[in-house]
Amino acid sequence: MATESKNNNTKILIGVIVLLLVGIGVAAYFIFNQKVQIQELQEVSLLNKQELEDEYGQLSYEYEKVKMNLKNDSLLQKLTNEQTKVQRLLEELKTVKAENKSEIARLNKELGTLRQVLRSYVTQIDSLNRANAQLRQEKREITDKYQETARTLNQVSQQKQDLSEKVTLAAKLDATNISIQATNSKGKVQKNIKKIEQFVINFAISKNITAEPGERTIYARIMKPDDDVLVKSRTNVFPFENKEINYSIKRVVEYGGEETQVTMYWNVEEYLMPGKYRLDLFADGNRIGSRSFTLDD
């Protein structure tokens, strides 16, 4: 009986030991499995944190890219402020432990808000760009119209100037049938230069219905062979081609558009040298006729 009881106790002990070993194995399994799960969770948290840091970095880059071609100083300053906030939160994220789920969640939420802010600014910038493009188009159209108008006005002005020049040219007086006689005091033509006492100048102002009727001052310049002008006074001048030049004789005539005969006289009171002389006639600032003549000894 004693031997049998001892055997039973041994069996019970062995069973207890086996159960303990099984329990220890099961416990070890669960502990190991839990440790693996914790490690996996830590790795996931670390990976999520790294992804969040990358997203913050990408968002900062997107802010910078939007700023690159922005010329609106007000919007540029606002975007710079938001980008600074992104960078500050990124630095804060780097100091947060991966296991701090509440802080990670907060920073993730902040990231979403900053993305929405960026989208709102992009929308504003697109709207401004469209408005600016419209303004540029309108400015181009206005500029084109202005240039076209300016060209038209220039053409009209040129046509008006051309017409005015044609009218002025058409209205210009013209002296024809010019003759110069060298005479003595009795009106007799003289061939001897020493006996000449007067030049008698005759010419006709041609008919011109486009010329304005009224008084005309006719100037005559008698040029000597040495190109000096016969004058009674060096103060006798008239305007021609933007300067004042001397005249020998002047006469006021009434011109009504019809052919008008004119006679002018020059009393010879100075020494006359032999050679070729030239008579030039002027009116209304224009040379209206010219004639050369020669005096011999």
Side-chain angles (χ1 to χ4, degrees), residues 199 220-237 245-248 266 270-280 293 295:
F199 289 127
R221 276 168 54 96
I222 304 173
M223 304 288 294
K224 297 187 293 183
D226 60 1
D227 288 333
D228 192 16
V229 184
L230 290 176
V231 293
K232 298 302 181 186
S233 171
R234 290 295 173 183
T235 62
N236 293 342
V237 295
I245 62 175
N246 288 112
Y247 65 85
S248 304
W266 172 263
E270 57 280 300
Y271 167 76
L272 294 178
M273 66 180 70
K276 187 174 183 180
Y277 288 71
R278 190 180 79 246
L279 169 70
D280 291 318
F293 61 98
L295 297 180

Side-chain angles (χ1 to χ4, degrees), residues 234-260:
R234 290 295 173 183
T235 62
N236 293 342
V237 295
F238 70 100
F240 180 68
E241 294 183 349
N242 299 318
K243 58 184 179 180
E244 299 287 326
I245 62 175
N246 288 112
Y247 65 85
S248 304
I249 319 165
K250 77 172 180 178
R251 180 179 171 184
V252 177
V253 298
E254 187 69 29
Y255 181 71
E258 298 296 328
E259 183 175 280
T260 303

Side-chain angles (χ1 to χ4, degrees), residues 163-173 207-211:
L163 181 60
S164 177
E165 290 174 355
K166 289 178 181 178
V167 170
T168 300
L169 184 62
K172 178 178 175 292
L173 300 183
K207 179 180 180 179
N208 191 337
I209 60 174
T210 61

Side-chain angles (χ1 to χ4, degrees), residues 29-290:
Y29 171 78
F30 280 109
I31 291 170
F32 175 77
N33 190 50
Q34 187 176 20
K35 186 177 180 181
V36 170
Q37 290 179 355
I38 291 172
Q39 186 175 356
E40 289 177 351
L41 288 173
Q42 288 176 337
E43 291 176 355
V44 169
S45 296
L46 188 61
L47 182 60
N48 290 338
K49 180 189 174 185
Q50 184 60 52
E51 289 178 353
L52 189 58
E53 289 179 5
D54 292 342
E55 290 179 15
Y56 264 100
Q58 178 63 29
L59 183 59
S60 179
Y61 170 74
E62 290 175 7
Y63 268 99
E64 186 64 29
K65 189 166 64 173
V66 172
K67 286 167 51 182
M68 285 178 61
N69 297 319
L70 187 61
K71 296 181 180 179
N72 185 297
D73 291 339
S74 177
L75 280 176
L76 185 61
Q77 184 59 50
K78 290 179 180 179
L79 281 167
T80 300
N81 293 339
E82 293 299 323
Q83 185 183 22
T84 300
K85 186 176 181 180
V86 171
Q87 292 169 344
R88 177 176 58 79
L89 289 174
L90 176 58
E91 293 302 318
E92 184 178 337
L93 175 61
K94 290 179 179 179
T95 64
V96 174
K97 291 184 177 181
E99 296 82 6
N100 194 338
K101 294 182 179 181
S102 61
E103 279 298 295
I104 296 296
R106 180 183 67 82
L107 291 169
N108 191 36
K109 185 177 179 181
E110 290 279 6
L111 178 66
T113 301
L114 291 169
R115 279 177 175 160
Q116 290 178 353
V117 171
L118 178 60
R119 282 195 292 269
S120 70
Y121 281 124
V122 170
T123 301
Q124 290 183 51
I125 293 168
D126 288 343
S127 178
L128 284 173
N129 287 341
R130 286 194 296 271
N132 288 335
Q134 180 64 29
L135 287 173
R136 286 193 295 271
Q137 178 62 28
E138 292 175 358
K139 181 180 178 181
R140 282 194 296 270
E141 291 174 358
I142 291 172
T143 301
D144 291 343
K145 289 180 180 178
Y146 172 79
Q147 292 175 345
E148 180 63 28
T149 302
R151 283 193 294 270
T152 301
L153 289 175
N154 287 337
Q155 290 174 356
V156 171
S157 177
Q158 185 62 46
Q159 291 171 357
K160 183 179 178 181
Q161 182 179 347
D162 293 343
L163 181 60
S164 177
E165 290 174 355
K166 289 178 181 178
V167 170
T168 300
L169 184 62
K172 178 178 175 292
L173 300 183
D174 188 26
T176 60
N177 300 323
I178 303 170
S179 67
I180 306 98
Q181 289 183 327
T183 68
N184 59 18
S185 59
K186 296 180 180 180
K188 187 176 180 180
V189 176
Q190 299 294 316
K191 293 184 178 180
N192 189 333
I193 194 171
K194 294 180 181 179
K195 295 181 179 181
I196 296 173
E197 297 180 86
Q198 191 175 61
F199 289 127
V200 181
I201 302 168
N202 288 290
F203 59 91
I205 300 178
S206 300
K207 179 180 180 179
N208 191 337
I209 60 174
T210 61
E212 184 178 352
E215 289 187 345
R216 294 289 197 282
T217 300
I218 310 298
Y219 296 94
R221 276 168 54 96
I222 304 173
M223 304 288 294
K224 297 187 293 183
D226 60 1
D227 288 333
D228 192 16
V229 184
L230 290 176
V231 293
K232 298 302 181 186
S233 171
R234 290 295 173 183
T235 62
N236 293 342
V237 295
F238 70 100
F240 180 68
E241 294 183 349
N242 299 318
K243 58 184 179 180
E244 299 287 326
I245 62 175
N246 288 112
Y247 65 85
S248 304
I249 319 165
K250 77 172 180 178
R251 180 179 171 184
V252 177
V253 298
E254 187 69 29
Y255 181 71
E258 298 296 328
E259 183 175 280
T260 303
Q261 296 294 326
V262 181
T263 300
M264 304 176 78
Y265 300 93
W266 172 263
N267 293 324
V268 177
E269 300 171 346
E270 57 280 300
Y271 167 76
L272 294 178
M273 66 180 70
K276 187 174 183 180
Y277 288 71
R278 190 180 79 246
L279 169 70
D280 291 318
L281 300 172
F282 300 83
D284 300 333
N286 299 307
R287 191 196 310 267
I288 63 172
S290 184

